[in-house]
Amino acid sequence: MESSSNLTQLTSFLEKIPSALVLGKGLTASIAVIELKGKGFEVIQLEFGQAPGDELYCCLPGFDFEEYKLSVMQSVGQSEVYHSESIPMIDRDGAGFKVDIASIRDRRFDVLFFAGGLANRPCSNLDLAPLELFGPETKYSGESEDVALLMDYPEPSDSAAAMSAIVYALENAKNGGRSAVILDNVPVRHLQGESLYDSAKSAGVKFYRLGQSNPKIQDSFPSEGGNRKIWITLQDRIEQGSDIQIVCDRLFLVTGPDQKGIPYQINHFLGADLDPSGFLISESIHSNTFKSFSAGVYAIGNFTGNSDLFQIMSQAKAAAASARAYALFTNTKSRENILSISEECVRCLTCYRICPHMAIWPSVSPSRSQLNSIGTACFECGICVSECPRTAIDLTHFPQMAFSSFIEDVKNQPDRIVVYGCSRSAGRAASHISLPPDVVFFSVPCAGRVSESVILETLSIGVKGLLVIGCHHGNCASNNGTDWACDRVETVVTNFLLPMDMQGKLQYKTMAPNEILKMEKIIRQFVNELETDPQTSKYSSS
Amino acid sequence: MAPHTSKNVVIIGSGIAGLTTAKLLCENGIKATIVEKSSVLGGHTRKWSCKATSQCQVCNRCSLDDVMAALENYGVQYLTESELGSVVRDSAGYLRGVKISTSGSEVAEEIPSDALALCVGFETYDPSEKLLWGYGALDGVMTLADLDFVLDQQRLNDLGNGSEQTKIAFFQCVGSRDKSVGANYCSQYCCKAALRSAVKLKSEKPQWSVAIFYIDLQVSGKYASSLLGRATESGIELAQGVPGEIFLDENKKLAVNIEKNGTNAREQFDKIILSVGQRPSASTAILSQITGVGLNEHGFFESRTIFDPNRTCAQGVYLAGACGAPMDIETTILNASAAASDIISDLSGIHKGA
Ligand SMILES: Cc1cc2nc3c(=O)[nH]c(=O)nc-3n(C[C@H](O)[C@H](O)[C@H](O)COP(=O)(O)OP(=O)(O)OC[C@H]3O[C@@H](n4cnc5c(N)ncnc54)[C@H](O)[C@@H]3O)c2cc1C
Ligand code: SF4
Ligand code: SF4
Ligand code: SF4
Ligand code: SF4
């Protein structure tokens, strides 16, 4: 049949069956396993920690999570699953990984998936209040009740959780119950969001917007017989006026995944690869919500700050396809000689610590430790080269020699203004602009490759000015290459270029690949400043 | 890198959705042909500006450049000024190829195709449709797209009135969440885009006053705290409720009536920026007829089921990006990657699929 011949066609060029280690339990991990298996991966799942599973929400009225879970479990089929108290030691093995668990110690995995779950954030402000956290398993009982759902308090709720809570309010209202939703902003995600809000309003769900003052929550226990009641006093931001009082039987608090639950051991693989809120994976556009800076590492689900079932299904698919490409690339391409480490190496581990892509890994043998460069994981950014104290490490396609011969070239052309620009941003834009006559542009793999010694060497030949251009902070393809460049320019300016008249000569600027006019402006301004009055123009970093 | 299989996927539309789909397919050893109606690649995203201040604001505009750079490593075939003419199926109904008509040539070219990805994107709402906004009639009323052009051209000063007291307002949900214009949905990108633009304006011109009038700010998730934090720190006024009408006052200045504490107050602005919504592309109707993929009540392509957002009811036909539902670039990249993932699974036959 047609599909089986396709199967052999597509998998035959993978020299061996790719393998994946999925860390995590719950629905997210299962969805990841299904998608990876669908791409031909051999998958091992490793459940770790005590925490229950994950918290995922689906905002469709009438959606039955239990039924859905069952269907997922059926699709997972037979699966190899291991358990561990905490995240075990995981080491690089070439471009892949090895894990320190007795039964699978000898296996090698091409990719690592973090698909762990997180509990919802508790509320610090409302410890006394008789409230329940709204979770995915919070199911409407079918009996009409007086219920209040508090969201965006004190920080914005997860939109998928919030929309599920509105579904709860809607179902209760349809059954004759009274539902009050107290929030900052009504979540209207997906095409269905607005109509969900509409139906909730027309079914009689009351929406209140949090005002300046915090809502007051009191709990009254019945003297005898009657029900316990919760009293909420609040101000509505839109209908300003007197206080509003809501009396209900149940009060739910809607929050979102709690990043504090992310195990600290993960830092070992991901370094600083966290977003500003502390979830996995930097906000860099290079991560596109599923791919880490660390080559071969993927994260999906609660760990990435996401609890929307629809989005997590897409994350799993996207990550699986990307993982397949990675396995294909690392298993078929020989890139052994992308990076070389010479005998000069003193094993200080600097390169290992700073490589943003986890492309250098120490291997410890009984005799002595050794540094391994993993060509297939290397992005050729040159950050390691720029920091190695022994100049022991070098890139094949952009060797140290490239700088030396460039500088040698410029030496013979007096009064030149040198611009070192990251190939991703400035390098791409440079081909679209015409540079002023005395400016020489030199494209470097990453601004982070421009070391202090390169800066000093360039200045020492008597250039009129030196401008280093990197990508905007937070948008570096190598995570922090542009920040390295910024720091080094600053260090050279403060430590080596003390005379005032030299300060304007060395500057650092940032841009995006699409900012062609901005690049023109940056260079024009730099040239103008050099030409007008170097005494007054100050070093600037932006 | 040479493709590893003889499989070819035809992608209609070269926006961030089409290009991302192509990238992931190529990385997985599958050939891609991109068919683009206009003469340039990149779709809407190409027109937007970078919003970085002293740091990147993660607008994702530049991911387009990254995807295009990555695609340079593969032999993707680009057919610009071209459109889908028809699909070719074998007797069993399987997709075998497509016919592409290129402007200027008489005959449609047949291209073998194992899958077809619809990535034709969206259209921006035209606010001149609703006279009360004054777009096109009143000087100083512009759209978020117009603002992006000004920012991209590094002509920020054009927005000012020459004095320090320049006042700028953003109006959210223009042509979205509005049954009266036939769009009962949220466009998903515009709250974040307006907030980033406002932060950018404030960082360049701290003296200007910038206000955002909104219904509900849709910035939840992991971005919410950092983006809202930046907005409040930079002194942007966030006001709930969008004024319904823009007019010229007696000084010939843009003015609106704003309800504050139950009373009506009039406020003047130098520029009012309308955050226009996403509408289904006009292409969806024609492509629906050619391919058999249905349209939903809003006019976007309909997926096979709500849990299978990238497959369609037509065998071999997939959809990705804003032609299936309004979405921002980040979500589009995710969505298009998932579409490529489905295509890879289905072509390899491991997964039960189309
Ligand atoms: C004013 C504005 C500002 C925005 N700013 C941001 C932002 O800062 N950040 C963000 O994340 N998102 C932003 N967005 C949203 C973003 O533009 C979309 O998420 C993105 O463009 C969707 O990509 P797409 O590829 O699906 O569609 P499109 O970009 O629309 O691309 C579709 C492509 O298909 C082509 N096409 C159409 N019909 C046919 C046909 N019949 N045959 C062949 N080709 C065809 C089109 O010419 C186009 O090239 C903004 C949107 C607007 C309106
Ligand atoms: S930084 Fe240089 S000396 Fe230190 S471990 Fe790496 S290669 Fe060896
Ligand atoms: S060049 Fe960059 S990616 Fe490669 S090993 Fe060095 S630091 Fe890591
Ligand atoms: S993501 Fe947006 S703000 Fe950040 S650098 Fe790219 S274009 Fe600029
Ligand atoms: S994203 Fe914001 S402005 Fe855009 S339609 Fe939704 S609520 Fe309105």
Side-chain angles (χ1 to χ4, degrees), chain A residues 1-4 6-11 13 34-35 37-41 58 60 63 68 155-160 183-192 194-195 197-198 209 237-238 240 275-277 279-286 288-291 303-306 309-311 313-318 320-322 324-326 328-329 332-333 424 428 472-475 510-518 521 542, chain B residues 1 4-7 23-24 26-30 48-63 65-69 72 94 96 152-154 177-179 184-186 188 200 204 214-226 228 230 240 259-262 296-298 300 306-311 324-326 330-331 333-335 337-351:
Chain A
M1 197 177 97
E2 128 122 16
S3 59
S4 62
N6 286 343
L7 169 71
T8 41
Q9 248 188 31
L10 260 182
T11 44
F13 64 88
I34 294 172
E35 285 304 328
K37 282 186 173 173
K39 301 278 172 314
F41 275 87
C58 175
L60 293 180
F63 177 76
Y68 177 73
E155 45 188 312
S157 299
D158 178 89
S159 61
L183 42 51
D184 238 348
N185 294 291
V186 179
V188 282
R189 277 271 283 270
H190 307 299
L191 263 184
Q192 306 81 22
E194 191 70 24
S195 43
Y197 177 40
D198 277 352
R209 316 285 172 133
R237 192 160 71 224
I238 296 179
Q240 278 163 354
D275 70 22
S277 330
F279 287 109
L280 277 200
I281 308 304
S282 143
E283 283 192 334
S284 159
I285 48 117
H286 268 259
N288 294 338
T289 65
F290 50 84
K291 203 164 151 187
F303 273 19
T304 65
N306 198 350
L309 178 64
F310 291 122
Q311 284 240 344
M313 293 194 307
S314 291
Q315 276 186 323
K317 286 182 180 181
S322 184
R324 186 178 179 278
Y326 179 76
L328 195 65
F329 180 72
T332 55
K333 263 234 147 167
R424 168 174 170 254
R428 278 181 79 77
H472 291 300
H473 169 73
N475 187 259
T510 62
M511 61 174 284
N514 50 307
E515 290 187 293
I516 295 163
L517 293 177
K518 168 109 179 257
K521 199 167 139 187
S542 77
Chain B
M1 203 159 63
H4 299 271
T5 66
S6 53
K7 299 280 171 201
K23 171 174 171 274
L24 211 56
C26 290
E27 285 174 349
N28 275 280
I30 296 170
W48 314 143
S49 66
C50 169
K51 305 297 182 333
T53 57
S54 60
Q55 60 170 328
C56 164
Q57 291 208 67
V58 205
C59 76
N60 281 294
R61 157 64 178 88
C62 59
S63 50
D65 300 75
D66 290 332
V67 175
M68 292 186 84
E72 281 166 16
Y94 284 99
R96 285 289 170 247
D152 196 45
Q153 297 293 306
Q154 307 284 314
R177 307 187 63 186
D178 184 353
K179 278 195 200 111
N184 197 34
Y185 54 81
C186 160
Q188 309 290 331
K200 173 80 179 164
E204 301 278 330
Y214 66 93
I215 302 177
D216 296 288
L217 286 176
Q218 296 303 309
V219 280
S220 69
K222 62 196 247 170
Y223 298 99
S225 317
S226 52
L228 286 172
R230 281 201 300 279
Q240 203 154 31
E259 220 187 270
K260 256 187 192 161
N261 302 336
N296 64 26
E297 55 179 316
H298 307 288
F300 294 96
I306 198 161
F307 289 100
D308 204 355
N310 301 107
R311 292 189 178 91
E330 189 201 7
T331 316
I333 291 173
L334 186 61
N335 185 275
S337 304
S341 179
D342 284 345
I343 295 173
I344 295 162
S345 289
D346 293 349
L347 289 188
S348 62
I350 298 167
H351 213 243

Side-chain angles (χ1 to χ4, degrees), chain B residues 12-18 35-38 40-45 48-49 51 58-61 82-84 119-124 143-146 148 189 193 196 276-278 281 283 287 320-323 327-330 332:
Chain B
I12 311 294
S14 73
I16 188 75
V35 179
E36 168 59 51
K37 184 175 69 176
S38 87
V40 282
L41 305 174
H44 281 95
T45 307
W48 314 143
S49 66
K51 305 297 182 333
V58 205
C59 76
N60 281 294
R61 157 64 178 88
S82 301
E83 283 185 67
L84 180 68
C119 306
V120 294
F122 68 98
E123 261 155 44
T124 46
T143 65
L144 213 48
D146 301 333
D148 261 283
Y189 85 93
R196 290 190 207 102
V276 285
Q278 295 187 22
S281 154
S283 302
L287 289 170
C323 61
M327 53 182 81
D328 62 7
I329 297 168
E330 189 201 7
T332 303

